[in-house]
Amino acid sequence: MIARQHCFATRCDRLLHCHWSCSGYCRAYGVRLPFFSPTAPLINRGAFDTVPEVVILLSFLASDKSGKKFCDILFDEAGHRVATQYLLSVLDGNLPVEHLLHYREANSKLPGHPELGLTPGVKFSSGRLGHMWPLVNGVAMADKSRSVFCLGSDGSQQEGNDAEAARLAVAQGLNVKLFIDDNDVTIAYVPHTREMS
């Protein structure tokens, strides 16, 4: 995916590969860009958009000493936010922190979407938008006594699978808690303005 954007590192207006299709390498100037910068204008920050929600949900999980209130997995519909799972794997002691420096590199076992069984500490696989909520419903059906948390996105809410999953969750009275990151940013543009991101 190529997107026209003002590069926050080199101040260049040339075409850059966005962080979805590469590891942040600017071919115009031959420099590697960080995959996150809090000063980057209109750039989708991926996993870092949900840090406040993750911190809140982790506090819920930590408060549940008996493990009877909440499922201890934070599901995420947006597979590209996998960096959250990798960070949680480090915090849980499943990965050394240095391994995060190889995010999305070939053979690093840190792909751009989570894959159960590939990366230590990853607790679910994620593919295209819209398929995670149905999986979360299955987890909630298996144990109706505990709340199941899922991080959603404004993009995933536009998928037909999510609409069907929502109807099923309501009809079955499932204990699913969905936190939606409505950041109004897509890979290509800011929807409400139609400007390139």
Side-chain angles (χ1 to χ4, degrees), residues 8-23:
F8 57 90
T10 62
R11 304 296 181 228
C12 168
D13 284 320
R14 298 183 191 188
L15 286 176
L16 300 175
H17 267 201
C18 70
H19 71 278
W20 301 98
S21 59
C22 72
S23 59

Side-chain angles (χ1 to χ4, degrees), residues 129-192:
L129 284 179
H131 94 277
M132 186 54 63
W133 194 349
L135 182 138
V136 167
N137 280 352
V139 172
M141 285 177 166
D143 186 355
K144 292 190 176 192
S145 66
R146 297 193 303 170
S147 295
V148 183
F149 297 120
C150 183
L151 297 168
S153 69
D154 47 359
S156 65
Q157 298 311 298
Q158 298 174 30
E159 298 292 331
N161 290 6
D162 270 18
E164 294 172 16
R167 286 193 284 280
L168 178 67
V170 170
Q172 297 290 319
L174 301 179
N175 200 354
V176 173
K177 309 298 183 203
L178 190 66
F179 289 73
I180 298 176
D181 175 25
D182 186 6
N183 62 11
D184 198 34
V185 176
T186 69
I187 285 177
Y189 62 90
V190 179
H192 80 275

Side-chain angles (χ1 to χ4, degrees), residues 41-64:
L42 300 176
I43 193 168
N44 186 332
R45 294 179 179 92
F48 305 102
D49 281 349
T50 60
V51 166
E53 292 88 347
V54 169
V55 170
I56 290 168
L57 294 174
L58 288 175
S59 68
F60 279 129
L61 297 180
S63 71
D64 183 20

